[in-house]
Amino acid sequence: MSGEHGLQMWWHQSTIYQIYPRSFADSNADGIGDLPGITSKLEYLKALGVDLLWLSPIFASPMDDNGYDISDYRNIAPEYGSLADFDFLVSEARHRGMGVILDLVVNHTSDEHPWFQQARSSRKNPLHDFYIWREPAIGGGPPNGLTSSFGGSAWTFDPSCGQYYLHLFSRRQPDLNWENPLLRSEIYQMMNWWLDRGISGFRMDVIDYIGKSVDQSIITDGPHLHDYLQEMNHMTFGDRDVVTVGETWSATPGSALLYSGRERHELSMVFQFEHVTQQWDEIYGKWRSRPFDLGKLKSVLSKWQLALADDGWNSLFWGNHDLPRAVSKYGDAKGFPLESAKMLATVLHLLKGTPFIYQGEEIGMTNVPFTKIEQYRDIETLNMHRLHLEAGMSPEEFLKGANENGRDNARTPMQWSDGANAGFTTGIPWIEVNENYTIINAEHAISDEHSIWSHYRKLIRLRKEHRVIVYGRYQSHLESHPDLFTYTRSLDGSLMLVFANFSARQITIELPNELQVTGKCLISNYSDRGELGGSLSMSPYEAFAILAD
């Protein structure tokens, strides 16, 4: 896709903003965010400077998994609005120079999708083969030991046709059979239908699952995964000037080039999660965190920067709708919320790749301190609570893990103001608002030139003004330092240096000759620096970037 000498695309200098529609802005007082609510906030997003808006699923759905269980690919969930509302949002966004990216969920559907209703009605129905069915094991029971990401067996018995169907997520999310060419054709037609409506691309949910080979217990990176993606590219977006991002929990630096390398013609980029999963417990996964380890984080980020230096393209993100809030996970939400949030933004946005901002990240929203399991709404959290307690974990320890890493941390309502329900709704919100909304909200942030929001706005602008940020070669420095993340970006004689203190303490270090420069301070979360001498002292969570003379 690119490199210092590769193809240069418009979205390389763009910043993408993810919206979780259910929690963004409610226009009709039903307690649920909606499309007109998003449209009402477009001026806010334009002022921030973002170029593309990725919407988590807005399709018709029974909402077993908050829209990732789709019952009609060509309709809008009524609680979110109508197709007319969607078309108006797209046109109003375009009028302000922004595009809309849809969340493409084609590994599975809802069990209420007409395809599945027909598929389960009879083994002889032509749509039966749109899903993955197997006979019971000899002696009864599931055909094999595959498990669901939400806990329990990945197989559910359907008595109407006497077979088990596969669901790698909720039992109400049956997996589609991508080996069926008629299914693939239906999906491509649907994708083109949305592209023709003027969208700017797709974010592709668990796209590394579609090539699965269940009889061999292969879930990700199946033998035909890339055949399907190349076919998809050819049949849909390949000749259109759009952005495609694949969610690929299994991606490695090597396999990333299979998706986004310039010879492959598959996707613009992928989301990889190595920097996320390396902080999970080996047994309990994300429900029991490991202590934060900057050395490991630097190692992972540097590995991906170098692997995709000359081909492919990195997506850059701290959070999304499935992950904890960035400042709570990687920063210091209690001691240095302002400084650490700005530091994290600086480190991420000055790397090579396309940055993603998750709603509320730009104002420093934090994890939610729920004290009872009844406050959670996420199906994964509720399922895992039951399973982990059955396995012997205490309720207190599970809640601690959920408060640190559960998906509802990202799903509490956007904090617009210090008014009732944070300005999200005049009704009763579908999930509780974080209690700190009186302090952390967009209204306060916009009016403060030193706010986290203003810092994000400046970083977004810098990406458009300096080619070294977009295409410069990455090199890490001071790699063994336990608290400092330092890297340079270089392009055509320009050199940018980035320093970030990931700790709550003052740090003083001696700088090697190659890091001693004078120049212009592009951005800082303390006072500007124009010169780096032999010794450098950094305040807690300080971060800055200098463009060398």
Side-chain angles (χ1 to χ4, degrees):
M1 285 292 168
S2 76
E4 284 185 45
H5 311 291
L7 188 63
Q8 297 180 5
M9 308 296 290
W10 61 270
W11 41 266
H12 287 166
Q13 65 172 13
S14 296
T15 300
I16 301 177
Y17 187 95
Q18 183 189 356
I19 292 173
Y20 196 70
R22 194 174 193 84
S23 299
F24 194 61
D26 173 22
S27 71
N28 62 359
D30 66 354
I32 296 172
D34 47 44
L35 295 176
I38 297 171
T39 304
S40 74
K41 301 297 185 181
L42 289 176
E43 283 298 318
Y44 167 86
L45 295 164
K46 179 186 177 185
L48 184 60
V50 295
D51 306 280
L52 292 159
L53 311 177
W54 151 29
L55 309 185
S56 284
I58 55 171
F59 311 100
S61 165
M63 298 290 168
D64 185 57
D65 186 21
N66 278 4
Y68 283 88
D69 49 319
I70 296 170
S71 56
D72 185 347
Y73 281 111
R74 301 195 191 200
N75 245 322
I76 304 295
E79 55 262 63
Y80 293 158
S82 64
L83 275 171
D85 292 328
F86 176 78
D87 291 339
F88 185 65
L89 168 60
V90 171
S91 66
E92 287 295 297
R94 186 184 294 116
H95 179 65
R96 292 166 175 81
M98 295 180 288
V100 173
I101 295 174
L102 285 185
D103 215 316
L104 186 75
V105 188
V106 290
N107 174 69
H108 48 265
T109 67
S110 165
D111 63 352
E112 294 185 23
H113 195 292
W115 292 347
F116 191 68
Q117 294 296 310
Q118 290 194 54
R120 76 193 317 177
S121 68
S122 167
R123 296 189 185 201
K124 294 180 180 178
N125 190 293
L127 297 191
H128 187 71
D129 193 46
F130 271 29
Y131 295 86
I132 298 172
W133 302 88
R134 292 293 183 268
E135 300 297 327
I138 296 171
N144 64 23
L146 287 177
T147 56
S148 160
S149 292
F150 291 169
S153 173
W155 298 98
T156 289
F157 186 71
D158 192 284
S160 57
C161 53
Q163 290 178 299
Y164 281 85
Y165 66 86
L166 180 76
H167 55 89
L168 291 169
F169 296 92
S170 159
R171 63 176 180 77
R172 299 199 58 198
Q173 292 170 292
D175 278 56
L176 289 164
N177 176 21
W178 271 75
E179 294 178 9
N180 186 317
L182 292 177
L183 168 78
R184 300 201 303 273
S185 176
E186 286 281 345
I187 288 171
Y188 302 154
Q189 289 176 53
M190 174 269 293
M191 293 172 67
N192 284 323
W193 187 81
W194 285 106
L195 289 162
D196 290 343
R197 291 191 97 89
I199 68 168
S200 296
F202 294 104
R203 176 266 186 186
M204 301 178 177
D205 188 60
V206 292
I207 202 65
D208 52 345
Y209 279 47
I210 64 171
K212 68 184 75 71
S213 183
V214 297
D215 298 320
Q216 285 74 45
S217 295
I218 296 172
I219 302 304
T220 57
D221 303 304
H224 297 294
L225 170 63
H226 295 285
D227 299 334
Y228 298 151
L229 289 175
Q230 287 172 33
E231 180 185 68
M232 176 191 287
N233 180 300
H234 177 69
M235 298 297 292
T236 61
F237 51 77
D239 293 328
R240 305 181 193 241
D241 190 16
V242 297
V243 179
T244 52
V245 194
E247 181 194 26
T248 56
W249 286 80
S250 64
T252 63
S255 70
L257 291 176
L258 296 178
Y259 294 100
S260 65
R262 56 177 163 259
E263 303 298 324
R264 302 293 299 186
H265 304 296
E266 291 182 12
L267 306 175
S268 306
M269 57 187 132
V270 295
F271 289 125
Q272 60 81 19
F273 296 89
E274 193 175 349
H275 64 295
V276 174
T277 56
Q278 56 116 6
Q279 296 195 73
W280 291 1
D281 184 76
E282 289 179 13
I283 297 172
Y284 291 103
K286 69 181 181 182
W287 306 106
R288 180 184 286 168
S289 295
R290 291 178 178 172
F292 176 68
D293 186 329
L294 178 63
K296 289 182 178 177
L297 178 69
K298 290 194 291 187
S299 175
V300 168
L301 293 178
S302 292
K303 178 169 69 172
W304 280 86
Q305 286 286 299
L306 297 173
L308 275 59
D310 299 312
D311 195 6
W313 192 253
N314 269 300
S315 64
L316 308 171
F317 68 96
W318 290 125
N320 66 23
H321 62 289
D322 287 332
L323 299 176
R325 288 287 178 180
V327 69
S328 295
K329 186 65 181 174
Y330 302 100
D332 188 343
K334 292 186 173 68
F336 295 90
L338 196 74
E339 297 84 354
S340 64
K342 290 181 181 180
M343 180 276 291
L344 290 169
T346 304
V347 165
L348 191 84
H349 283 248
L350 299 181
L351 291 168
K352 186 176 181 182
T354 296
F356 287 73
I357 299 169
Y358 181 71
Q359 67 181 44
E361 180 186 317
E362 77 280 9
I363 59 172
M365 281 180 64
T366 65
N367 282 0
V368 64
F370 286 160
T371 56
K372 303 188 296 288
I373 192 64
E374 291 77 17
Q375 292 173 281
Y376 285 92
R377 299 289 177 266
D378 172 38
I379 184 174
E380 180 192 40
T381 302
L382 298 175
N383 282 352
M384 288 299 179
H385 175 257
R386 176 178 54 82
L387 290 169
H388 282 314
L389 262 57
E390 288 173 359
M393 187 183 255
S394 73
E396 294 76 18
E397 188 176 9
F398 183 86
L399 277 176
K400 181 177 184 292
N403 278 342
E404 290 182 0
N405 287 320
R407 302 198 302 180
D408 280 341
N409 284 306
R411 300 177 182 188
T412 57
M414 177 68 182
Q415 292 163 209
W416 292 107
S417 73
D418 60 7
N421 297 319
F424 164 70
T425 182
T426 56
I428 300 171
W430 72 276
I431 189 172
E432 292 173 44
V433 177
N434 195 319
E435 60 193 22
N436 61 15
Y437 72 90
T438 55
I439 302 164
I440 300 172
N441 62 71
E443 201 172 82
H444 289 176
I446 295 169
S447 62
D448 179 2
E449 63 178 312
H450 300 296
S451 68
I452 298 166
W453 188 87
S454 297
H455 196 82
Y456 269 82
R457 189 184 190 196
K458 187 172 186 179
L459 285 165
I460 293 166
R461 188 175 71 244
L462 286 172
R463 177 166 287 274
K464 291 179 165 55
E465 294 173 350
H466 296 278
R467 283 176 52 81
V468 69
I469 297 175
V470 184
Y471 294 113
R473 183 164 290 277
Y474 169 92
Q475 183 177 343
S476 61
H477 297 268
L478 308 176
E479 292 169 338
S480 62
H481 198 287
D483 299 312
L484 204 58
F485 191 177
T486 305
Y487 62 86
T488 55
R489 305 286 310 285
S490 56
L491 179 71
D492 298 334
S494 292
L495 176 68
M496 179 180 70
L497 300 88
V498 180
F499 285 79
N501 179 3
F502 268 75
S503 79
R505 61 189 183 87
Q506 184 96 8
I507 289 175
T508 301
I509 56 165
E510 297 301 311
L511 292 181
N513 289 338
E514 67 266 21
L515 297 180
Q516 297 180 30
V517 301
T518 59
K520 175 188 177 185
C521 188
L522 295 178
I523 195 163
S524 171
N525 62 351
Y526 281 80
S527 56
D528 282 1
R529 293 175 178 270
E531 182 175 353
L532 294 176
S535 181
L536 172 67
S537 290
M538 293 188 70
S539 298
Y541 295 101
E542 182 176 359
F544 62 86
I546 291 179
L547 191 62
D549 291 333

PDB file of all heavy atoms in Angstrom, residues 331-356:
ATOM      1  N   GLY A 331      -2.765   4.752  31.016  1.00  0.00           N
ATOM      2  CA  GLY A 331      -2.361   5.996  31.655  1.00  0.00           C
ATOM      3  C   GLY A 331      -2.581   5.961  33.151  1.00  0.00           C
ATOM      4  O   GLY A 331      -2.454   4.926  33.791  1.00  0.00           O
ATOM      5  N   ASP A 332      -2.936   7.113  33.700  1.00  0.00           N
ATOM      6  CA  ASP A 332      -3.141   7.257  35.141  1.00  0.00           C
ATOM      7  C   ASP A 332      -4.401   8.094  35.337  1.00  0.00           C
ATOM      8  O   ASP A 332      -4.343   9.315  35.516  1.00  0.00           O
ATOM      9  CB  ASP A 332      -1.917   7.936  35.772  1.00  0.00           C
ATOM     10  CG  ASP A 332      -1.963   7.940  37.294  1.00  0.00           C
ATOM     11  OD1 ASP A 332      -3.054   7.720  37.856  1.00  0.00           O
ATOM     12  OD2 ASP A 332      -0.914   8.200  37.918  1.00  0.00           O
ATOM     13  N   ALA A 333      -5.551   7.426  35.316  1.00  0.00           N
ATOM     14  CA  ALA A 333      -6.835   8.125  35.334  1.00  0.00           C
ATOM     15  C   ALA A 333      -7.103   8.808  36.667  1.00  0.00           C
ATOM     16  O   ALA A 333      -7.904   9.746  36.732  1.00  0.00           O
ATOM     17  CB  ALA A 333      -7.970   7.152  35.003  1.00  0.00           C
ATOM     18  N   LYS A 334      -6.446   8.358  37.729  1.00  0.00           N
ATOM     19  CA  LYS A 334      -6.695   8.939  39.056  1.00  0.00           C
ATOM     20  C   LYS A 334      -5.665  10.006  39.414  1.00  0.00           C
ATOM     21  O   LYS A 334      -6.021  11.057  39.956  1.00  0.00           O
ATOM     22  CB  LYS A 334      -6.698   7.836  40.115  1.00  0.00           C
ATOM     23  CG  LYS A 334      -7.883   6.876  39.984  1.00  0.00           C
ATOM     24  CD  LYS A 334      -7.911   5.893  41.152  1.00  0.00           C
ATOM     25  CE  LYS A 334      -9.186   5.037  41.121  1.00  0.00           C
ATOM     26  NZ  LYS A 334      -9.196   4.105  39.983  1.00  0.00           N
ATOM     27  N   GLY A 335      -4.397   9.757  39.128  1.00  0.00           N
ATOM     28  CA  GLY A 335      -3.357  10.695  39.548  1.00  0.00           C
ATOM     29  C   GLY A 335      -3.053  11.791  38.549  1.00  0.00           C
ATOM     30  O   GLY A 335      -2.946  12.968  38.904  1.00  0.00           O
ATOM     31  N   PHE A 336      -2.912  11.405  37.269  1.00  0.00           N
ATOM     32  CA  PHE A 336      -2.548  12.362  36.220  1.00  0.00           C
ATOM     33  C   PHE A 336      -3.428  12.158  34.985  1.00  0.00           C
ATOM     34  O   PHE A 336      -2.937  11.805  33.908  1.00  0.00           O
ATOM     35  CB  PHE A 336      -1.072  12.211  35.842  1.00  0.00           C
ATOM     36  CG  PHE A 336      -0.110  12.553  36.951  1.00  0.00           C
ATOM     37  CD1 PHE A 336       0.312  11.578  37.846  1.00  0.00           C
ATOM     38  CD2 PHE A 336       0.375  13.850  37.083  1.00  0.00           C
ATOM     39  CE1 PHE A 336       1.206  11.899  38.864  1.00  0.00           C
ATOM     40  CE2 PHE A 336       1.265  14.172  38.097  1.00  0.00           C
ATOM     41  CZ  PHE A 336       1.675  13.194  38.988  1.00  0.00           C
ATOM     42  N   PRO A 337      -4.735  12.353  35.129  1.00  0.00           N
ATOM     43  CA  PRO A 337      -5.627  12.042  34.003  1.00  0.00           C
ATOM     44  C   PRO A 337      -5.369  12.894  32.761  1.00  0.00           C
ATOM     45  O   PRO A 337      -5.345  12.383  31.641  1.00  0.00           O
ATOM     46  CB  PRO A 337      -7.023  12.305  34.575  1.00  0.00           C
ATOM     47  CG  PRO A 337      -6.809  13.216  35.745  1.00  0.00           C
ATOM     48  CD  PRO A 337      -5.478  12.854  36.289  1.00  0.00           C
ATOM     49  N   LEU A 338      -5.160  14.187  32.961  1.00  0.00           N
ATOM     50  CA  LEU A 338      -4.953  15.098  31.834  1.00  0.00           C
ATOM     51  C   LEU A 338      -3.618  14.808  31.150  1.00  0.00           C
ATOM     52  O   LEU A 338      -3.546  14.630  29.923  1.00  0.00           O
ATOM     53  CB  LEU A 338      -4.975  16.541  32.350  1.00  0.00           C
ATOM     54  CG  LEU A 338      -5.142  17.642  31.327  1.00  0.00           C
ATOM     55  CD1 LEU A 338      -6.578  17.684  30.827  1.00  0.00           C
ATOM     56  CD2 LEU A 338      -4.759  18.999  31.945  1.00  0.00           C
ATOM     57  N   GLU A 339      -2.559  14.734  31.950  1.00  0.00           N
ATOM     58  CA  GLU A 339      -1.224  14.558  31.387  1.00  0.00           C
ATOM     59  C   GLU A 339      -1.075  13.205  30.702  1.00  0.00           C
ATOM     60  O   GLU A 339      -0.527  13.111  29.588  1.00  0.00           O
ATOM     61  CB  GLU A 339      -0.161  14.692  32.486  1.00  0.00           C
ATOM     62  CG  GLU A 339      -0.098  16.053  33.137  1.00  0.00           C
ATOM     63  CD  GLU A 339      -1.105  16.252  34.260  1.00  0.00           C
ATOM     64  OE1 GLU A 339      -1.968  15.363  34.489  1.00  0.00           O
ATOM     65  OE2 GLU A 339      -1.023  17.302  34.919  1.00  0.00           O
ATOM     66  N   SER A 340      -1.568  12.142  31.354  1.00  0.00           N
ATOM     67  CA  SER A 340      -1.366  10.807  30.768  1.00  0.00           C
ATOM     68  C   SER A 340      -2.232  10.599  29.527  1.00  0.00           C
ATOM     69  O   SER A 340      -1.812   9.929  28.583  1.00  0.00           O
ATOM     70  CB  SER A 340      -1.618   9.714  31.808  1.00  0.00           C
ATOM     71  OG  SER A 340      -2.956   9.697  32.253  1.00  0.00           O
ATOM     72  N   ALA A 341      -3.429  11.185  29.485  1.00  0.00           N
ATOM     73  CA  ALA A 341      -4.256  11.063  28.280  1.00  0.00           C
ATOM     74  C   ALA A 341      -3.603  11.762  27.093  1.00  0.00           C
ATOM     75  O   ALA A 341      -3.586  11.244  25.972  1.00  0.00           O
ATOM     76  CB  ALA A 341      -5.642  11.639  28.528  1.00  0.00           C
ATOM     77  N   LYS A 342      -3.036  12.932  27.335  1.00  0.00           N
ATOM     78  CA  LYS A 342      -2.336  13.642  26.263  1.00  0.00           C
ATOM     79  C   LYS A 342      -1.080  12.886  25.835  1.00  0.00           C
ATOM     80  O   LYS A 342      -0.734  12.839  24.649  1.00  0.00           O
ATOM     81  CB  LYS A 342      -1.953  15.047  26.730  1.00  0.00           C
ATOM     82  CG  LYS A 342      -3.125  16.001  26.906  1.00  0.00           C
ATOM     83  CD  LYS A 342      -2.607  17.366  27.359  1.00  0.00           C
ATOM     84  CE  LYS A 342      -3.717  18.364  27.573  1.00  0.00           C
ATOM     85  NZ  LYS A 342      -3.188  19.679  28.023  1.00  0.00           N
ATOM     86  N   MET A 343      -0.382  12.316  26.818  1.00  0.00           N
ATOM     87  CA  MET A 343       0.823  11.544  26.499  1.00  0.00           C
ATOM     88  C   MET A 343       0.486  10.373  25.589  1.00  0.00           C
ATOM     89  O   MET A 343       1.160  10.132  24.572  1.00  0.00           O
ATOM     90  CB  MET A 343       1.462  11.056  27.801  1.00  0.00           C
ATOM     91  CG  MET A 343       2.731  10.225  27.623  1.00  0.00           C
ATOM     92  SD  MET A 343       2.430   8.464  27.304  1.00  0.00           S
ATOM     93  CE  MET A 343       1.780   7.929  28.872  1.00  0.00           C
ATOM     94  N   LEU A 344      -0.574   9.634  25.935  1.00  0.00           N
ATOM     95  CA  LEU A 344      -0.959   8.483  25.120  1.00  0.00           C
ATOM     96  C   LEU A 344      -1.331   8.901  23.706  1.00  0.00           C
ATOM     97  O   LEU A 344      -0.977   8.233  22.727  1.00  0.00           O
ATOM     98  CB  LEU A 344      -2.133   7.761  25.776  1.00  0.00           C
ATOM     99  CG  LEU A 344      -1.808   7.018  27.078  1.00  0.00           C
ATOM    100  CD1 LEU A 344      -3.089   6.569  27.761  1.00  0.00           C
ATOM    101  CD2 LEU A 344      -0.890   5.830  26.808  1.00  0.00           C
ATOM    102  N   ALA A 345      -2.049  10.008  23.590  1.00  0.00           N
ATOM    103  CA  ALA A 345      -2.417  10.499  22.263  1.00  0.00           C
ATOM    104  C   ALA A 345      -1.178  10.854  21.452  1.00  0.00           C
ATOM    105  O   ALA A 345      -1.073  10.517  20.266  1.00  0.00           O
ATOM    106  CB  ALA A 345      -3.332  11.709  22.390  1.00  0.00           C
ATOM    107  N   THR A 346      -0.221  11.515  22.086  1.00  0.00           N
ATOM    108  CA  THR A 346       1.002  11.931  21.392  1.00  0.00           C
ATOM    109  C   THR A 346       1.768  10.726  20.855  1.00  0.00           C
ATOM    110  O   THR A 346       2.171  10.687  19.689  1.00  0.00           O
ATOM    111  CB  THR A 346       1.895  12.741  22.351  1.00  0.00           C
ATOM    112  OG1 THR A 346       1.154  13.845  22.862  1.00  0.00           O
ATOM    113  CG2 THR A 346       3.148  13.241  21.648  1.00  0.00           C
ATOM    114  N   VAL A 347       1.966   9.737  21.711  1.00  0.00           N
ATOM    115  CA  VAL A 347       2.706   8.534  21.306  1.00  0.00           C
ATOM    116  C   VAL A 347       2.040   7.855  20.118  1.00  0.00           C
ATOM    117  O   VAL A 347       2.692   7.489  19.136  1.00  0.00           O
ATOM    118  CB  VAL A 347       2.808   7.546  22.491  1.00  0.00           C
ATOM    119  CG1 VAL A 347       3.244   6.168  22.014  1.00  0.00           C
ATOM    120  CG2 VAL A 347       3.773   8.073  23.535  1.00  0.00           C
ATOM    121  N   LEU A 348       0.724   7.711  20.168  1.00  0.00           N
ATOM    122  CA  LEU A 348       0.012   6.956  19.135  1.00  0.00           C
ATOM    123  C   LEU A 348      -0.071   7.719  17.816  1.00  0.00           C
ATOM    124  O   LEU A 348       0.209   7.160  16.747  1.00  0.00           O
ATOM    125  CB  LEU A 348      -1.394   6.619  19.628  1.00  0.00           C
ATOM    126  CG  LEU A 348      -2.138   5.618  18.745  1.00  0.00           C
ATOM    127  CD1 LEU A 348      -1.737   4.202  19.143  1.00  0.00           C
ATOM    128  CD2 LEU A 348      -3.638   5.792  18.852  1.00  0.00           C
ATOM    129  N   HIS A 349      -0.453   8.975  17.868  1.00  0.00           N
ATOM    130  CA  HIS A 349      -0.746   9.726  16.642  1.00  0.00           C
ATOM    131  C   HIS A 349       0.499  10.086  15.848  1.00  0.00           C
ATOM    132  O   HIS A 349       0.393  10.428  14.668  1.00  0.00           O
ATOM    133  CB  HIS A 349      -1.545  10.986  16.972  1.00  0.00           C
ATOM    134  CG  HIS A 349      -2.990  10.716  17.246  1.00  0.00           C
ATOM    135  ND1 HIS A 349      -4.007  11.136  16.419  1.00  0.00           N
ATOM    136  CD2 HIS A 349      -3.593  10.045  18.247  1.00  0.00           C
ATOM    137  CE1 HIS A 349      -5.167  10.736  16.907  1.00  0.00           C
ATOM    138  NE2 HIS A 349      -4.944  10.065  18.022  1.00  0.00           N
ATOM    139  N   LEU A 350       1.669  10.009  16.462  1.00  0.00           N
ATOM    140  CA  LEU A 350       2.887  10.347  15.742  1.00  0.00           C
ATOM    141  C   LEU A 350       3.611   9.117  15.205  1.00  0.00           C
ATOM    142  O   LEU A 350       4.664   9.234  14.580  1.00  0.00           O
ATOM    143  CB  LEU A 350       3.810  11.190  16.630  1.00  0.00           C
ATOM    144  CG  LEU A 350       3.189  12.534  17.076  1.00  0.00           C
ATOM    145  CD1 LEU A 350       4.167  13.322  17.923  1.00  0.00           C
ATOM    146  CD2 LEU A 350       2.699  13.361  15.887  1.00  0.00           C
ATOM    147  N   LEU A 351       3.025   7.940  15.423  1.00  0.00           N
ATOM    148  CA  LEU A 351       3.525   6.731  14.773  1.00  0.00           C
ATOM    149  C   LEU A 351       3.097   6.709  13.310  1.00  0.00           C
ATOM    150  O   LEU A 351       2.252   7.498  12.872  1.00  0.00           O
ATOM    151  CB  LEU A 351       2.984   5.484  15.484  1.00  0.00           C
ATOM    152  CG  LEU A 351       3.499   5.213  16.893  1.00  0.00           C
ATOM    153  CD1 LEU A 351       2.662   4.117  17.564  1.00  0.00           C
ATOM    154  CD2 LEU A 351       4.971   4.820  16.875  1.00  0.00           C
ATOM    155  N   LYS A 352       3.656   5.769  12.549  1.00  0.00           N
ATOM    156  CA  LYS A 352       3.273   5.615  11.143  1.00  0.00           C
ATOM    157  C   LYS A 352       2.033   4.722  11.054  1.00  0.00           C
ATOM    158  O   LYS A 352       2.026   3.607  11.568  1.00  0.00           O
ATOM    159  CB  LYS A 352       4.419   5.001  10.334  1.00  0.00           C
ATOM    160  CG  LYS A 352       4.134   4.958   8.845  1.00  0.00           C
ATOM    161  CD  LYS A 352       5.338   4.433   8.088  1.00  0.00           C
ATOM    162  CE  LYS A 352       5.051   4.421   6.598  1.00  0.00           C
ATOM    163  NZ  LYS A 352       6.203   3.873   5.843  1.00  0.00           N
ATOM    164  N   GLY A 353       0.990   5.207  10.404  1.00  0.00           N
ATOM    165  CA  GLY A 353      -0.255   4.469  10.299  1.00  0.00           C
ATOM    166  C   GLY A 353      -1.426   5.431  10.369  1.00  0.00           C
ATOM    167  O   GLY A 353      -1.245   6.650  10.456  1.00  0.00           O
ATOM    168  N   THR A 354      -2.625   4.891  10.339  1.00  0.00           N
ATOM    169  CA  THR A 354      -3.833   5.708  10.437  1.00  0.00           C
ATOM    170  C   THR A 354      -4.379   5.617  11.857  1.00  0.00           C
ATOM    171  O   THR A 354      -4.736   4.520  12.298  1.00  0.00           O
ATOM    172  CB  THR A 354      -4.892   5.237   9.424  1.00  0.00           C
ATOM    173  OG1 THR A 354      -4.391   5.451   8.098  1.00  0.00           O
ATOM    174  CG2 THR A 354      -6.197   5.999   9.597  1.00  0.00           C
ATOM    175  N   PRO A 355      -4.460   6.742  12.571  1.00  0.00           N
ATOM    176  CA  PRO A 355      -4.955   6.702  13.952  1.00  0.00           C
ATOM    177  C   PRO A 355      -6.484   6.564  14.005  1.00  0.00           C
ATOM    178  O   PRO A 355      -7.206   7.130  13.185  1.00  0.00           O
ATOM    179  CB  PRO A 355      -4.523   8.058  14.533  1.00  0.00           C
ATOM    180  CG  PRO A 355      -3.638   8.692  13.520  1.00  0.00           C
ATOM    181  CD  PRO A 355      -3.982   8.082  12.211  1.00  0.00           C
ATOM    182  N   PHE A 356      -6.934   5.843  15.016  1.00  0.00           N
ATOM    183  CA  PHE A 356      -8.359   5.693  15.321  1.00  0.00           C
ATOM    184  C   PHE A 356      -8.607   6.264  16.712  1.00  0.00           C
ATOM    185  O   PHE A 356      -7.879   5.956  17.651  1.00  0.00           O
ATOM    186  CB  PHE A 356      -8.779   4.220  15.292  1.00  0.00           C
ATOM    187  CG  PHE A 356      -8.845   3.631  13.913  1.00  0.00           C
ATOM    188  CD1 PHE A 356      -7.679   3.354  13.206  1.00  0.00           C
ATOM    189  CD2 PHE A 356     -10.062   3.347  13.316  1.00  0.00           C
ATOM    190  CE1 PHE A 356      -7.731   2.805  11.927  1.00  0.00           C
ATOM    191  CE2 PHE A 356     -10.129   2.805  12.035  1.00  0.00           C
ATOM    192  CZ  PHE A 356      -8.962   2.532  11.348  1.00  0.00           C
TER     193      PHE A 356
END
